[in-house]
Each structure stands twice: as structure tokens, then as C-alpha cells.
Amino acid sequence: MTDFTFACTGVRADPYAAGPTLVFRLRITATGADPGEAARVHALSLRCQIRIEPARRVYGTGEAAALHDLFGERARWGTTLQPLQFAQVSVMVPSFTGETETDVVVPCTYDMDIASGRYLSALEDGEAPLLMLFSGTAFTGAGGFRVEPVPWDREAPFRMPAEVWREMVEQHFPGCGWLRLPRDTMADLLAYRSRHALASWEATVRALLDGAAAAQPSAGDPAWAGAVLPRSVERTAP
């Protein structure tokens, strides 16, 4: 059996993609039965699952406040700071012998309903701890070829700089955020804007926030305080 090892050597935001996209640089090493023997790989069909492991870093006060609705109070983080699903992509790696590098292209979302997007947007600096999990099928052999599975225990940890995520978001949403709303909510929002002759969506949302702030009691926690969003923590099947 061919022994595969993986290492992520870097990440960048793709400035030419139609939507927010990260490009991870992946180094793949294939060795044969003898130690140090470079194995011949005709092709590699690779599946890569990426998840965030939030327990592997520390957080400042501002970050903890921004992560409150994901993980609750700091006192609860021992049980709520669980992995978050980030992405799952497929990669076709061409022929190589011994070692090669390839790009893993990961389309991203700035949807604040997605737990991974909320988490990455909350980071003020430092790095996001990621874990890349691999599986797939390899076509190997020096003369002919044989079909081998990529073992499910192949992993590669990587610490992605938070500034790379911010750079990617800024390329596609400069100075802005993004919200996804159901059609009926959008219709109600449009009717509210029309009734009050508001000039923009920003003015519409600001008017609603100001009205809510004026009606909110001065003491007490909001009803959603301490809520924890559901997340995927298990490795998924291909």
C-alpha cells in the first residue's frame, strides 16, 4: 500500500473568483513499501473536508462578545467550544512521483446564518485553527496501475491567518455585510421602507434598530442570551 501524507503550506484569497474564494496550497507525499521509496501515482481523486477547531486558540474580550451567540458565556466554553464544519471539496491531482503540490479551491460564504462565517468574522486578529481531513482514491503503480483508497485517518492541521479571511470578504463586500432573508420578510421590510419614505436599506434597518432600542428595557439580558447554534462536529461520509 502507498503511504500518503498531507501538509497545508499556505492560503490566499483569490482576487479573480466570481465569489468569495480561498485557495489552500497542499503538499502531498507518496511513499512505497520501503522507507524513503518514492511511489508512482498516476492520478489521485481526493476529497477534503475542512473544519474549524475553536478550542485550539485563545480569544480576546471583543472576540468573546462576538462569539456569544455561537458558544454562550465563557464559563460554558468547556462544553460548547466544539468543531464547526467549514467546507467539503473534491480535488483531482494529476500524475506525480514521490511528492507534489496542488491548489485546493474552497468557495466561501459571508452568510451570517452559517456558523463558520459568524466565527471567522468575529476574529479580530491571530489565526483560525483548521483541520483538513482527507479521503479518496489513488491510482498507483510503477508498471501498470492499481487502485488504492486514501485512508480516512489522513489529516493536516493548519492555522489560517484571520487577515486572509478579511481580505477575501473585503474583495467582494467592500465595507459591507450581507444578510439572507425570506421573501415574506423582504416584502414586509420593503413595505416599511415605502411607508416611511426611507432613502436606502441602511436607513430602513437603522430606523428599525433605533425604534427597538427606544422600546428596550434598560436592564436585563436579551431573550436569546446564552443560545448556542447547532453545528456539525463529525466527519461526514463521501
Side-chain angles (χ1 to χ4, degrees), residues 150-216:
V150 176
W152 273 67
D153 62 353
R154 304 295 96 158
E155 300 179 349
F158 181 67
R159 301 188 73 85
M160 181 178 71
E163 63 184 22
V164 174
W165 173 266
R166 290 195 296 270
E167 175 188 349
M168 180 198 70
V169 171
E170 193 64 20
Q171 287 173 357
H172 295 274
F173 304 101
C176 300
W178 185 89
L179 288 176
R180 176 167 54 93
L181 297 174
R183 287 193 183 94
D184 54 350
T185 304
M186 280 297 300
D188 292 342
L189 199 59
L190 179 59
Y192 179 88
R193 175 178 173 177
S194 299
R195 286 197 306 272
H196 294 80
L198 297 167
S200 65
W201 288 115
E202 180 182 0
T204 303
V205 174
R206 176 52 57 190
L208 289 168
L209 290 174
D210 290 344
Q216 184 176 345

Side-chain angles (χ1 to χ4, degrees), residues 27-177:
R27 179 184 297 134
I28 306 170
T29 303
T31 56
D34 297 329
E37 175 191 5
R40 172 69 169 162
V41 179
H42 301 287
L44 180 60
S45 176
L46 195 63
R47 292 182 293 274
C48 177
Q49 182 182 158
I50 306 175
R51 69 186 186 191
I52 301 168
E53 299 205 312
R56 294 184 177 271
R57 63 158 286 171
V58 296
Y59 301 90
T61 303
E63 292 172 331
L67 293 171
H68 184 275
D69 62 337
L70 278 179
F71 305 122
E73 300 288 347
R74 276 190 186 269
R76 302 175 59 198
W77 283 12
T79 56
T80 63
L81 219 60
Q82 299 297 321
L84 305 172
Q85 181 74 11
F86 178 52
Q88 184 163 302
V89 295
S90 297
V91 183
M92 283 301 301
V93 182
S95 174
F96 69 95
T97 299
E99 184 176 286
T100 189
E101 291 195 1
T102 189
D103 287 337
V104 178
V105 179
V106 179
C108 301
T109 178
Y110 193 36
D111 188 344
M112 291 294 99
D113 287 338
I114 306 298
S116 59
R118 293 290 300 273
Y119 173 85
L120 292 167
S121 297
L123 301 185
E124 298 173 351
D125 52 23
E127 299 167 328
L130 305 180
L131 183 64
M132 306 178 77
L133 310 169
F134 300 98
S135 62
T137 304
F139 301 88
T140 64
F145 74 89
R146 61 181 181 269
V147 180
E148 301 181 37
V150 176
W152 273 67
D153 62 353
R154 304 295 96 158
E155 300 179 349
F158 181 67
R159 301 188 73 85
M160 181 178 71
E163 63 184 22
V164 174
W165 173 266
R166 290 195 296 270
E167 175 188 349
M168 180 198 70
V169 171
E170 193 64 20
Q171 287 173 357
H172 295 274
F173 304 101
C176 300

